[in-house]
Amino acid sequence: MDYLDYFKNNKGFERFMVKAKEKYQSYGRVTGIITLDNITYEEAVSLTDFFARKFEEGKTYKIKISEFNKVLDKSKFQDFEFTDYFYNTYDDFSYLTNTLKKRKFHEEFVSFIEDLLLELTSEKLKDFFKRNINKNFSTMRNIKSKYKQNKKALKEELLMIDKLLSNIPDKITYLPIYASITSNPHYLDYNAKSSNLFYRILSNILECDIPNTNLDKTKLLEKINVYIDPLSNYVITYNLVYDKEMPFDVLNLNIDNISKLNNITGKSNKIFIFENPSILNYLKNKDLDISIIITSGIPNLAFYKLLENITSDTTLYYNGDYDPEGLLIADKLNNKYSNIKLFLYDGKSYFNTKPSVSVGNNRLHKLELVKSKELQEVKSLLFENKKCGYQENNLLFIEKFIKINVKGNFVV
């Protein structure tokens, strides 16, 4: 094979042959056109000598493989074979093309899954693989990537997921207790590597988007009755109206409590929602026959669960602090629930709080996310004054607003 020495020692053909090898690995044969951009002096000399036509340094040429083969047929290298050249020149060369490699990998992967299906007990997981084994979306790519890295580890992980999906609770369950099915109560912790594939597969089974945030994961788990902590995750309520009689007017309702209550509403079908518990302490002593919910800052899962169980004909009134975080909460609730009415979010109410606490640009930047038209006046004032105001300094005006909306008369 005299051509081996000729092409291997000819730097002017080095790039041409590399591109030819790439064609073979992709298509199973070397055909079509090879493009050489900005050819070097060595390439210009070698190509001119080989093809017997002028090639100029610095220019780009498209060379047909058919033309290359015709030259070979008329030369002493008539026995030239690309595959022989590749095999004897490149250590990484394989006769398997990329197409064949992919086909071989897929066949092996399918065989792996088919064997695994015999060991699975969860019909949900079995159905997941039967539906998706030939698909190429992100979760299946993730599984195939794990298969390439370590088949044994992937099998162990999928068998753990099988245990979890075979034991989905029929009542509210604390996350570590559910995860303990795997013998590791932290197996499903949000930031644990072990939990990632479970959340991906579960989201597909439940036809949801793959969860990207902790809140997304919390909502996904809620669909299978699993909660981060159903007992300590609670919301403060006052004087709500339920489908059953309650012995107390103030109740700290956790998620487990809320799941047992239906048709929740407020006095006169109205509920006032506030950010800070001190508002409840003040209003309780004012002899107002009203219903109140306290978020205690950023609304938690218990708060959202409670709102889901409140009747749709209940009007919800919300007021929070006049700072960037408070406006973001108000904006989110306003956009999420059609029966929420924001109140006392005007310039007068803002100044009534005697704003005095400075707020930096890093926090003010959050206000750019506030879109509700009801909040724009306070938003602008915060940008302008860079001072925060708080509910506790607005108690008299909150009380007046409630009396107007409950009693229908204005009381100073």
Side-chain angles (χ1 to χ4, degrees):
M1 293 186 282
D2 294 338
Y3 59 78
L4 283 177
D5 288 334
Y6 177 80
F7 288 114
K8 284 176 74 171
N9 298 319
N10 192 332
K11 283 190 174 291
F13 267 98
E14 188 174 310
R15 190 157 54 129
F16 178 90
M17 287 301 181
V18 169
K19 286 179 172 284
K21 179 170 74 81
E22 291 172 355
K23 276 185 171 290
Y24 176 82
Q25 296 289 190
S26 295
Y27 308 115
R29 61 196 181 106
V30 182
T31 187
I33 294 173
I34 288 178
T35 301
L36 296 176
D37 299 315
N38 191 26
I39 66 170
T40 64
Y41 172 77
E42 290 85 356
E43 287 173 331
V45 171
S46 296
L47 293 171
T48 296
D49 180 59
F50 183 84
F51 289 101
R53 62 184 175 90
K54 185 68 173 176
F55 284 79
E56 296 181 25
E57 179 184 359
K59 289 190 175 182
T60 295
Y61 292 91
K62 294 182 181 295
I63 302 170
K64 292 181 179 180
I65 296 299
S66 59
E67 182 185 2
F68 177 80
N69 289 331
K70 282 180 183 179
V71 174
L72 288 173
D73 289 341
K74 296 176 183 179
S75 72
K76 62 180 179 179
F77 302 143
Q78 292 177 5
D79 59 343
F80 177 85
E81 289 287 346
F82 274 113
T83 52
D84 288 336
Y85 175 79
F86 298 152
Y87 180 77
N88 286 282
T89 305
Y90 305 109
D91 292 336
D92 65 343
F93 176 71
S94 169
Y95 284 103
L96 280 177
T97 65
N98 288 346
T99 301
L100 290 174
K101 285 179 183 176
K102 289 178 182 177
R103 185 181 301 166
K104 185 173 184 292
F105 171 80
H106 184 68
E107 289 173 353
E108 292 174 350
F109 176 72
V110 168
S111 178
F112 168 82
I113 295 299
E114 287 176 344
D115 289 342
L116 179 70
L117 286 172
L118 299 175
E119 299 184 45
L120 300 181
T121 58
S122 167
E123 294 301 324
K124 290 181 173 62
L125 189 55
K126 289 180 184 179
D127 180 63
F128 167 82
F129 281 116
K130 289 174 183 177
R131 285 186 293 108
N132 298 312
I133 196 166
N134 292 311
K135 295 181 180 178
N136 192 39
F137 60 100
S138 62
T139 298
M140 287 306 298
R141 289 196 297 272
N142 181 266
I143 293 172
K144 288 177 181 178
S145 176
K146 288 174 177 283
Y147 174 78
K148 283 182 182 178
Q149 294 168 15
N150 191 324
K151 301 175 190 176
K152 183 179 179 182
L154 173 62
K155 181 177 179 180
E156 291 174 355
E157 185 173 6
L158 290 173
L159 288 175
M160 287 296 185
I161 292 173
D162 181 57
K163 281 185 179 181
L164 291 163
L165 293 177
S166 296
N167 292 279
I168 291 177
D170 55 7
K171 60 182 180 180
I172 288 177
T173 301
Y174 183 28
L175 179 60
I177 293 175
Y178 178 57
S180 293
I181 294 170
T182 68
S183 300
N184 177 6
H186 298 290
Y187 190 87
L188 294 177
D189 285 3
Y190 289 168
N191 296 321
K193 289 183 179 179
S194 55
S195 69
N196 182 268
L197 185 55
F198 171 79
Y199 289 118
R200 282 176 165 273
I201 290 176
L202 181 62
S203 65
N204 182 275
I205 290 171
L206 298 179
E207 299 182 351
C208 300
D209 292 335
I210 295 172
N212 293 315
T213 66
N214 288 348
L215 180 59
D216 292 338
K217 291 175 183 177
T218 298
K219 290 180 178 179
L220 183 66
L221 288 172
E222 182 184 344
K223 294 178 183 295
I224 59 169
N225 291 315
V226 175
Y227 293 84
I228 302 175
D229 184 350
L231 299 181
S232 64
N233 194 304
Y234 65 87
V235 60
I236 301 171
T237 71
Y238 171 72
N239 220 19
L240 295 187
V241 179
Y242 309 92
D243 58 353
K244 56 182 71 176
E245 187 175 344
M246 291 293 179
F248 306 106
D249 53 6
V250 176
L251 291 173
N252 291 348
L253 295 176
N254 60 44
I255 294 172
D256 190 41
N257 302 144
I258 294 167
S259 68
K260 298 170 185 174
L261 299 172
N262 296 298
N263 301 318
I264 302 171
T265 186
K267 298 290 184 176
S268 304
N269 276 38
K270 297 176 182 179
I271 299 175
F272 294 88
I273 304 172
F274 299 103
E275 186 175 341
N276 301 300
S278 56
I279 308 298
L280 174 58
N281 293 328
Y282 175 83
L283 293 175
K284 260 193 73 181
N285 299 318
K286 294 298 177 177
D287 195 28
L288 300 171
D289 191 23
I290 58 172
S291 300
I292 297 173
I293 297 173
I294 302 296
T295 69
S296 300
I298 298 175
N300 61 13
L301 188 60
F303 171 78
Y304 287 115
K305 191 69 179 173
L306 176 61
L307 260 58
E308 287 178 12
N309 286 12
I310 289 175
T311 59
S312 59
D313 61 345
T314 303
T315 302
L316 306 173
Y317 294 92
Y318 180 81
N319 178 264
D321 288 331
Y322 303 90
D323 60 4
E325 294 77 16
L327 261 65
L328 280 171
I329 294 170
D331 186 61
K332 181 177 181 179
L333 293 174
N334 190 49
N335 291 325
K336 187 176 178 66
Y337 300 99
S338 60
N339 57 336
I340 277 189
K341 297 181 182 297
L342 304 181
F343 71 99
L344 297 185
Y345 281 103
D346 56 280
K348 181 180 178 182
S349 298
Y350 167 74
F351 286 115
N352 283 338
T353 66
K354 298 179 175 58
S356 58
V357 179
S358 297
V359 55
N361 289 329
N362 286 341
R363 289 177 65 198
L364 284 172
H365 183 67
K366 299 176 184 178
L367 291 170
E368 294 174 4
L369 299 173
V370 175
K371 304 300 182 184
S372 297
K373 63 180 182 180
E374 298 93 332
L375 301 171
Q376 295 308 305
E377 187 175 357
V378 175
K379 171 182 171 180
S380 296
L381 289 170
L382 274 169
F383 270 125
E384 181 181 338
N385 295 289
K386 297 186 178 182
K387 301 285 186 182
C388 296
Y390 296 99
Q391 280 185 310
E392 290 85 347
N393 295 329
N394 224 358
L395 292 174
L396 287 175
F397 296 95
I398 289 173
E399 183 183 351
K400 289 177 182 178
F401 179 89
I402 290 173
K403 287 178 177 177
I404 291 170
N405 283 277
V406 173
K407 304 295 184 182
N409 59 326
F410 185 88
V411 179
V412 178

